Amino acid sequence: MRSSIKTATMLVCLCSLMAATSRAGDGVQVMVTNDGTEDILVTVYDMNAGPQQTVLQATRINGFTSVPISAVRDANGEANLAWIATTADAGSRKCGHGNASGITVDSSLSVHADSSCSA
């Protein structure tokens, strides 16, 4: 009888610990979407991670295609991201960059490379 109670208690503690760890590790799921027709190379930085962390590095995203990422939540449960993009075609190089804060779960982050690149 005692061993059954010990086993049950240990299982309850283990399940509680696993659930707490799972909740703490949950990030904000975001779809990074190329909002143009040209293929681009995109790098996304998680500004909530300390220090900032690259969550997508020079990844090719075809026109009007999305790539899923997970970012760290801030105190409000939101992600804060920065991104840079360049066209995949080196012959007609264009660039883009931006910051997005207050991103909630299952949101989309639109990225593009439609400006001239600074030297």
Side-chain angles (χ1 to χ4, degrees), residues 7-47:
T7 302
T9 303
M10 288 181 4
L11 284 173
V12 168
C13 290
L14 180 60
C15 287
S16 297
L17 178 62
M18 288 172 55
T21 303
S22 174
R23 281 192 304 274
D26 285 349
V28 176
Q29 303 305 311
V30 179
M31 293 300 285
V32 179
T33 303
N34 176 353
D35 63 8
T37 58
E38 293 187 68
D39 295 357
I40 57 176
L41 302 174
V42 179
T43 300
V44 178
Y45 302 98
D46 187 338
M47 305 308 285

Short mmCIF file of all heavy atoms in Angstrom, two decimals, residues 7-47:
data_model
loop_
_atom_site.label_atom_id
_atom_site.label_comp_id
_atom_site.label_asym_id
_atom_site.label_seq_id
_atom_site.Cartn_x
_atom_site.Cartn_y
_atom_site.Cartn_z
N THR A 7 4.48 5.74 -5.29
CA THR A 7 4.53 5.74 -6.75
C THR A 7 3.55 6.76 -7.31
O THR A 7 3.90 7.54 -8.22
CB THR A 7 4.20 4.34 -7.31
OG1 THR A 7 5.13 3.40 -6.76
CG2 THR A 7 4.28 4.32 -8.82
N ALA A 8 2.36 6.80 -6.79
CA ALA A 8 1.35 7.75 -7.27
C ALA A 8 1.80 9.19 -7.00
O ALA A 8 1.65 10.06 -7.87
CB ALA A 8 0.01 7.48 -6.60
N THR A 9 2.36 9.44 -5.84
CA THR A 9 2.84 10.78 -5.50
C THR A 9 3.97 11.20 -6.43
O THR A 9 3.99 12.33 -6.92
CB THR A 9 3.33 10.83 -4.02
OG1 THR A 9 2.24 10.43 -3.18
CG2 THR A 9 3.80 12.21 -3.64
N MET A 10 4.88 10.29 -6.69
CA MET A 10 5.99 10.61 -7.59
C MET A 10 5.49 10.88 -9.00
O MET A 10 5.97 11.78 -9.68
CB MET A 10 7.03 9.48 -7.59
CG MET A 10 7.81 9.43 -6.30
SD MET A 10 9.11 8.19 -6.09
CE MET A 10 9.25 7.32 -7.57
N LEU A 11 4.51 10.13 -9.46
CA LEU A 11 3.95 10.35 -10.79
C LEU A 11 3.26 11.71 -10.90
O LEU A 11 3.41 12.41 -11.89
CB LEU A 11 2.96 9.23 -11.16
CG LEU A 11 3.59 7.91 -11.56
CD1 LEU A 11 2.52 6.83 -11.73
CD2 LEU A 11 4.38 8.06 -12.84
N VAL A 12 2.52 12.08 -9.85
CA VAL A 12 1.86 13.38 -9.85
C VAL A 12 2.90 14.50 -9.88
O VAL A 12 2.78 15.46 -10.64
CB VAL A 12 0.92 13.53 -8.62
CG1 VAL A 12 0.47 14.96 -8.43
CG2 VAL A 12 -0.27 12.60 -8.76
N CYS A 13 3.94 14.38 -9.09
CA CYS A 13 5.01 15.40 -9.07
C CYS A 13 5.70 15.48 -10.42
O CYS A 13 5.97 16.58 -10.93
CB CYS A 13 6.03 15.09 -7.98
SG CYS A 13 5.38 15.32 -6.31
N LEU A 14 5.98 14.34 -11.02
CA LEU A 14 6.64 14.30 -12.32
C LEU A 14 5.77 14.94 -13.39
O LEU A 14 6.24 15.74 -14.19
CB LEU A 14 7.00 12.87 -12.69
CG LEU A 14 7.70 12.67 -14.03
CD1 LEU A 14 9.03 13.43 -14.04
CD2 LEU A 14 7.94 11.20 -14.29
N CYS A 15 4.49 14.62 -13.39
CA CYS A 15 3.57 15.21 -14.38
C CYS A 15 3.47 16.71 -14.19
O CYS A 15 3.43 17.47 -15.16
CB CYS A 15 2.19 14.57 -14.27
SG CYS A 15 2.15 12.87 -14.89
N SER A 16 3.41 17.18 -12.96
CA SER A 16 3.34 18.62 -12.68
C SER A 16 4.59 19.33 -13.17
O SER A 16 4.53 20.40 -13.77
CB SER A 16 3.16 18.88 -11.18
OG SER A 16 1.95 18.34 -10.74
N LEU A 17 5.74 18.72 -12.93
CA LEU A 17 7.00 19.30 -13.37
C LEU A 17 7.07 19.35 -14.88
O LEU A 17 7.47 20.37 -15.47
CB LEU A 17 8.18 18.49 -12.82
CG LEU A 17 9.57 18.94 -13.22
CD1 LEU A 17 9.83 20.36 -12.71
CD2 LEU A 17 10.63 17.99 -12.71
N MET A 18 6.65 18.30 -15.55
CA MET A 18 6.67 18.28 -17.01
C MET A 18 5.71 19.33 -17.58
O MET A 18 6.05 20.00 -18.55
CB MET A 18 6.30 16.89 -17.54
CG MET A 18 7.40 15.86 -17.30
SD MET A 18 6.92 14.18 -17.71
CE MET A 18 6.38 14.32 -19.37
N ALA A 19 4.57 19.50 -16.99
CA ALA A 19 3.60 20.50 -17.48
C ALA A 19 4.15 21.90 -17.29
O ALA A 19 4.03 22.75 -18.18
CB ALA A 19 2.27 20.34 -16.75
N ALA A 20 4.76 22.18 -16.17
CA ALA A 20 5.34 23.51 -15.92
C ALA A 20 6.47 23.79 -16.89
O ALA A 20 6.59 24.89 -17.42
CB ALA A 20 5.83 23.60 -14.47
N THR A 21 7.32 22.81 -17.13
CA THR A 21 8.42 22.98 -18.07
C THR A 21 7.90 23.23 -19.48
O THR A 21 8.39 24.08 -20.20
CB THR A 21 9.34 21.74 -18.06
OG1 THR A 21 9.81 21.53 -16.74
CG2 THR A 21 10.50 21.90 -19.00
N SER A 22 6.86 22.51 -19.84
CA SER A 22 6.27 22.67 -21.17
C SER A 22 5.70 24.07 -21.35
O SER A 22 5.91 24.72 -22.36
CB SER A 22 5.18 21.62 -21.37
OG SER A 22 4.51 21.85 -22.57
N ARG A 23 4.99 24.57 -20.34
CA ARG A 23 4.41 25.92 -20.44
C ARG A 23 5.50 26.97 -20.50
O ARG A 23 5.41 27.93 -21.25
CB ARG A 23 3.49 26.18 -19.25
CG ARG A 23 2.14 25.55 -19.38
CD ARG A 23 1.20 26.09 -18.33
NE ARG A 23 1.68 25.95 -16.97
CZ ARG A 23 1.53 24.88 -16.21
NH1 ARG A 23 0.91 23.83 -16.67
NH2 ARG A 23 1.99 24.85 -14.99
N ALA A 24 6.55 26.82 -19.71
CA ALA A 24 7.64 27.81 -19.69
C ALA A 24 8.38 27.84 -21.01
O ALA A 24 8.87 28.87 -21.44
CB ALA A 24 8.60 27.49 -18.55
N GLY A 25 8.46 26.70 -21.69
CA GLY A 25 9.22 26.63 -22.93
C GLY A 25 8.43 27.01 -24.17
O GLY A 25 8.97 27.09 -25.25
N ASP A 26 7.11 27.20 -24.01
CA ASP A 26 6.29 27.55 -25.16
C ASP A 26 6.71 28.90 -25.70
O ASP A 26 6.85 29.87 -24.98
CB ASP A 26 4.81 27.60 -24.79
CG ASP A 26 4.20 26.23 -24.61
OD1 ASP A 26 4.87 25.25 -24.97
OD2 ASP A 26 3.07 26.15 -24.12
N GLY A 27 6.90 28.96 -27.00
CA GLY A 27 7.23 30.22 -27.64
C GLY A 27 6.04 30.75 -28.41
O GLY A 27 4.95 30.19 -28.38
N VAL A 28 6.25 31.84 -29.10
CA VAL A 28 5.24 32.41 -29.97
C VAL A 28 5.49 31.85 -31.36
O VAL A 28 6.57 32.03 -31.92
CB VAL A 28 5.33 33.96 -29.97
CG1 VAL A 28 4.33 34.54 -30.95
CG2 VAL A 28 5.13 34.52 -28.58
N GLN A 29 4.50 31.16 -31.90
CA GLN A 29 4.62 30.59 -33.24
C GLN A 29 4.28 31.67 -34.26
O GLN A 29 3.22 32.29 -34.16
CB GLN A 29 3.68 29.40 -33.40
CG GLN A 29 3.91 28.30 -32.37
CD GLN A 29 5.34 27.80 -32.36
OE1 GLN A 29 5.91 27.49 -33.40
NE2 GLN A 29 5.94 27.72 -31.19
N VAL A 30 5.18 31.91 -35.21
CA VAL A 30 5.02 32.98 -36.19
C VAL A 30 5.31 32.42 -37.58
O VAL A 30 6.25 31.64 -37.76
CB VAL A 30 5.99 34.14 -35.89
CG1 VAL A 30 5.84 35.25 -36.92
CG2 VAL A 30 5.78 34.68 -34.48
N MET A 31 4.53 32.83 -38.55
CA MET A 31 4.79 32.48 -39.95
C MET A 31 5.48 33.67 -40.61
O MET A 31 4.93 34.77 -40.64
CB MET A 31 3.49 32.18 -40.69
CG MET A 31 2.79 30.92 -40.21
SD MET A 31 3.76 29.41 -40.36
CE MET A 31 3.66 29.13 -42.11
N VAL A 32 6.71 33.47 -41.08
CA VAL A 32 7.45 34.51 -41.80
C VAL A 32 7.05 34.37 -43.27
O VAL A 32 7.29 33.33 -43.88
CB VAL A 32 8.97 34.35 -41.62
CG1 VAL A 32 9.72 35.41 -42.39
CG2 VAL A 32 9.33 34.39 -40.14
N THR A 33 6.45 35.42 -43.83
CA THR A 33 5.87 35.35 -45.16
C THR A 33 6.53 36.34 -46.11
O THR A 33 6.61 37.53 -45.82
CB THR A 33 4.35 35.66 -45.10
OG1 THR A 33 3.74 34.73 -44.21
CG2 THR A 33 3.72 35.55 -46.48
N ASN A 34 7.00 35.83 -47.24
CA ASN A 34 7.53 36.67 -48.31
C ASN A 34 6.31 37.27 -49.01
O ASN A 34 5.53 36.56 -49.63
CB ASN A 34 8.35 35.82 -49.29
CG ASN A 34 8.85 36.61 -50.48
OD1 ASN A 34 8.51 37.76 -50.68
ND2 ASN A 34 9.66 35.96 -51.29
N ASP A 35 6.15 38.59 -48.90
CA ASP A 35 4.95 39.22 -49.47
C ASP A 35 5.16 39.73 -50.89
O ASP A 35 4.38 40.54 -51.39
CB ASP A 35 4.41 40.32 -48.56
CG ASP A 35 5.37 41.48 -48.38
OD1 ASP A 35 6.40 41.53 -49.06
OD2 ASP A 35 5.08 42.36 -47.55
N GLY A 36 6.22 39.24 -51.55
CA GLY A 36 6.49 39.63 -52.93
C GLY A 36 6.61 38.43 -53.85
O GLY A 36 6.49 37.29 -53.43
N THR A 37 6.88 38.72 -55.12
CA THR A 37 6.98 37.64 -56.11
C THR A 37 8.38 37.06 -56.23
O THR A 37 8.54 35.92 -56.65
CB THR A 37 6.55 38.16 -57.50
OG1 THR A 37 7.37 39.27 -57.86
CG2 THR A 37 5.09 38.57 -57.51
N GLU A 38 9.41 37.85 -55.90
CA GLU A 38 10.79 37.39 -56.03
C GLU A 38 11.21 36.55 -54.83
O GLU A 38 10.81 36.82 -53.70
CB GLU A 38 11.74 38.58 -56.14
CG GLU A 38 11.57 39.38 -57.42
CD GLU A 38 12.65 40.44 -57.53
OE1 GLU A 38 13.82 40.06 -57.72
OE2 GLU A 38 12.31 41.63 -57.41
N ASP A 39 12.06 35.55 -55.09
CA ASP A 39 12.64 34.77 -54.00
C ASP A 39 13.60 35.66 -53.23
O ASP A 39 14.34 36.46 -53.81
CB ASP A 39 13.41 33.57 -54.55
CG ASP A 39 12.51 32.56 -55.24
OD1 ASP A 39 11.28 32.76 -55.25
OD2 ASP A 39 13.04 31.57 -55.77
N ILE A 40 13.58 35.53 -51.88
CA ILE A 40 14.45 36.34 -51.04
C ILE A 40 15.18 35.47 -50.02
O ILE A 40 14.75 34.35 -49.72
CB ILE A 40 13.67 37.46 -50.31
CG1 ILE A 40 12.52 36.89 -49.47
CG2 ILE A 40 13.14 38.48 -51.31
CD1 ILE A 40 11.76 37.93 -48.67
N LEU A 41 16.29 36.00 -49.52
CA LEU A 41 17.04 35.37 -48.44
C LEU A 41 16.75 36.18 -47.18
O LEU A 41 17.00 37.39 -47.14
CB LEU A 41 18.53 35.36 -48.75
CG LEU A 41 18.93 34.64 -50.04
CD1 LEU A 41 20.41 34.82 -50.32
CD2 LEU A 41 18.58 33.16 -49.95
N VAL A 42 16.23 35.52 -46.15
CA VAL A 42 15.75 36.22 -44.96
C VAL A 42 16.48 35.75 -43.72
O VAL A 42 16.68 34.55 -43.52
CB VAL A 42 14.23 35.98 -44.77
CG1 VAL A 42 13.72 36.69 -43.53
CG2 VAL A 42 13.46 36.42 -46.00
N THR A 43 16.85 36.71 -42.87
CA THR A 43 17.38 36.43 -41.55
C THR A 43 16.48 37.13 -40.55
O THR A 43 16.15 38.31 -40.72
CB THR A 43 18.83 36.94 -41.40
OG1 THR A 43 19.65 36.27 -42.38
CG2 THR A 43 19.38 36.67 -40.02
N VAL A 44 16.04 36.38 -39.51
CA VAL A 44 15.16 36.93 -38.48
C VAL A 44 15.84 36.79 -37.13
O VAL A 44 16.40 35.73 -36.81
CB VAL A 44 13.79 36.20 -38.46
CG1 VAL A 44 12.91 36.74 -37.35
CG2 VAL A 44 13.10 36.32 -39.82
N TYR A 45 15.79 37.88 -36.34
CA TYR A 45 16.39 37.91 -35.01
C TYR A 45 15.31 38.00 -33.95
O TYR A 45 14.38 38.80 -34.08
CB TYR A 45 17.32 39.12 -34.88
CG TYR A 45 18.42 39.15 -35.90
CD1 TYR A 45 18.30 39.93 -37.05
CD2 TYR A 45 19.57 38.40 -35.73
CE1 TYR A 45 19.30 39.96 -38.01
CE2 TYR A 45 20.59 38.42 -36.68
CZ TYR A 45 20.44 39.20 -37.81
OH TYR A 45 21.43 39.22 -38.76
N ASP A 46 15.44 37.20 -32.90
CA ASP A 46 14.53 37.25 -31.76
C ASP A 46 15.10 38.26 -30.76
O ASP A 46 16.13 38.03 -30.14
CB ASP A 46 14.42 35.87 -31.12
CG ASP A 46 13.37 35.79 -30.03
OD1 ASP A 46 13.01 36.84 -29.47
OD2 ASP A 46 12.92 34.67 -29.74
N MET A 47 14.43 39.39 -30.64
CA MET A 47 14.92 40.47 -29.78
C MET A 47 14.63 40.21 -28.30
O MET A 47 15.19 40.87 -27.43
CB MET A 47 14.31 41.81 -30.21
CG MET A 47 14.55 42.13 -31.70
SD MET A 47 16.26 42.01 -32.23
CE MET A 47 16.91 43.50 -31.51
#
